[in-house]
Amino acid sequence: MAAAGSTPGTPGTPRVLRAMNDRAVLDLLVAHGPLTRTRIGELTGLSKPTTSQLLGRLEAAGLVHTTGSLSGRPGPNALLYEIDPGAGHVAALSADPTGITALVADITGTVLGTERVEADAIADDVRHRTAQLVTEAVDGALRQAGLGHDDLRAAVIGTPGAIDPHTGQLRYAPHLPGWHSRTLRDDLAAVLGTPVAIENDVNLAAVAEQYEGAAQDYDNYVLTWLDEGVGAAIVLGGTLLRGATGGAGEIGYMPLPGAPLVRGGPEATLGPHGGGGGFQSLVSAPVVRELAGPDASLADAFADDTILAEVARRLATGIAAVIAVVDPELVVLSGAVAQAGGDKLRGRVEEELTGLALPCPQVRVSELDGDPILTGALRSALTQARDQVFDTA
């Protein structure tokens, strides 16, 4: 109940202060795992009585529960408290030209179910069944988890391209025609029964690096995605740069020496080797494979030192242009090309950047396990769900 003479939610009122303390403790339990009441008090500076009242309140709200006790020291065993995993659930999805992958996790981030639905994104029937395919993937993951739509608090979907915040339409992704409807987000929210966010896949890979990858200790970094397509995610001051139309980081279309100019928008870049022009036509996975021969793999290409040096030179030229504009502390190389090239490619790129870009940031290759796009989608969905579930105001 708010203090006399104040309105609910007024800063400084007991209700707001309680909510702030609640959230601080819940965030600590997410970050550290199970903690005793004493340790929570030490980390927050709250008194023992306040900490006990707070934990009782959160337990009654179904947000925390006890999970055993800490023994091995004088006095009674201390109870351990943890986030109640059943307090909320999220869905994370990754869409690509060959299908949709979905996973469902609890509020702690533990994955409970996964499902893959294969579908050719450019098939005539698929473009009219996008919402149905998303639902099929999520439903499969929910079945594995023993859950239903009512259990979901948030869903985040990663796709190539970016949603224009003004029109709600997907841009820069002509190879995903079924995702271009202005009403798609609302349609998906209606069939899944939870708010849905559609996010650029490379941006989500950058989120994954920020939470548990190479960029954990950096507030200013660029993730360069090198795969069948080429793109970047730019994080400045810890915040993802999106741009006026959601298209910040679409460096695949960036004009560079040695690359044909792109005119006519994204459709013009869909050439026979991963791009008709721009940076993508120099360093995408199909282009790198082609350097080694018609049937070569990326591993074959990077086994050739001449090709390795050429790809590194091309990469450094494009990355230098980005560095000159945003001045990051770190560049993370991710995607199939980066994984195949590994540390040899990283080292060559770093050498090429010396003198080419001032200042010269660190260069790292992503070491994340699994699909970084799904990992980023999961992290984003958890952030959204926790903002709802952990709000006790």
Side-chain angles (χ1 to χ4, degrees):
M1 186 171 183
S6 67
T7 58
T10 301
T13 62
R15 180 179 180 183
V16 172
L17 293 175
R18 281 197 301 269
M20 291 172 62
N21 289 336
D22 290 350
R23 181 61 191 260
V25 169
L26 290 165
D27 287 341
L28 279 174
L29 292 173
V30 167
H32 294 276
L35 294 171
T36 64
R37 183 194 64 182
T38 299
R39 184 59 179 150
I40 291 170
E42 292 171 351
L43 291 170
T44 61
L46 297 173
S47 67
K48 287 184 179 179
T50 299
T51 303
S52 295
Q53 291 171 8
L54 183 153
L55 288 171
R57 188 166 61 249
L58 295 180
E59 197 167 11
L63 294 177
V64 303
H65 63 194
T66 57
T67 174
S69 59
L70 190 63
S71 58
R73 60 186 190 181
N77 292 345
L79 291 174
L80 286 165
Y81 292 86
E82 69 173 1
I83 298 292
D84 188 332
H89 299 85
V90 301
L93 300 95
S94 175
D96 58 64
T98 62
I100 299 168
T101 304
L103 62 80
V104 168
D106 64 32
I107 201 72
T108 71
T110 301
V111 176
L112 305 176
T114 61
E115 181 77 2
R116 171 74 178 176
V117 174
E118 300 292 341
D120 183 349
I122 61 173
D124 288 337
D125 64 327
V126 166
R127 69 185 65 196
H128 304 300
R129 294 193 300 116
T130 301
Q132 178 184 334
L133 293 169
V134 168
T135 305
E136 185 179 335
V138 172
D139 284 354
L142 285 170
R143 278 194 300 272
Q144 289 184 32
L147 301 170
H149 288 184
D150 291 344
D151 295 298
L152 293 178
R153 292 299 190 110
V156 173
I157 304 173
T159 71
I163 291 290
D164 187 316
H166 304 294
T167 66
Q169 285 188 292
L170 186 70
R171 295 167 58 88
Y172 315 108
H175 54 304
L176 295 177
W179 294 80
H180 288 255
S181 167
R182 291 192 182 196
T183 64
L184 182 60
R185 275 186 300 194
D186 291 338
D187 294 342
L188 292 174
V191 295
L192 295 182
T194 190
V196 174
I198 303 176
E199 178 62 275
N200 172 261
D201 53 359
V202 181
N203 284 349
L204 291 177
V207 169
E209 295 292 344
Q210 192 173 38
Y211 274 95
E212 55 189 76
Q216 287 182 80
D217 299 322
Y218 294 84
D219 289 329
N220 300 281
Y221 65 95
V222 171
L223 180 134
T224 305
W225 182 261
L226 307 163
D227 212 291
E228 299 300 305
V230 173
I234 301 164
V235 176
L236 300 177
T239 301
L240 193 64
L241 181 67
R242 298 183 180 278
T245 64
E250 292 291 341
I251 62 172
Y253 312 123
M254 185 168 63
L256 287 175
L261 290 175
V262 178
R263 300 187 188 277
E267 290 82 355
T269 66
L270 299 179
H273 306 303
F279 191 34
Q280 181 163 302
S281 71
L282 298 179
V283 294
S284 67
V287 171
V288 173
R289 289 193 293 263
E290 187 71 16
L291 290 174
D295 300 316
S297 66
L298 289 173
D300 295 332
F302 286 120
D304 185 319
D305 199 60
T306 301
I307 295 176
L308 175 67
E310 174 61 18
V311 173
R313 183 191 65 78
R314 295 179 181 187
L315 271 175
T317 302
I319 291 170
V322 178
I323 292 170
V325 176
V326 300
D327 186 21
E329 303 168 84
L330 171 72
V331 173
V332 181
L333 306 179
S334 188
V337 172
Q339 294 303 312
D343 198 56
K344 288 196 303 181
L345 178 62
R346 181 208 60 78
R348 291 292 188 97
V349 170
E350 209 163 44
E351 288 174 14
E352 290 284 344
L353 283 173
T354 303
L356 185 62
L358 295 173
C360 197
Q362 292 189 56
V363 180
R364 295 182 181 176
V365 176
S366 174
E367 295 182 353
L368 288 175
D369 293 328
D371 183 347
I373 297 167
L374 267 180
T375 299
L378 174 58
R379 288 295 179 179
S380 296
L382 287 171
T383 297
Q384 295 176 28
R386 288 168 183 165
D387 283 344
Q388 297 175 41
V389 174
F390 292 173
D391 184 0
T392 63

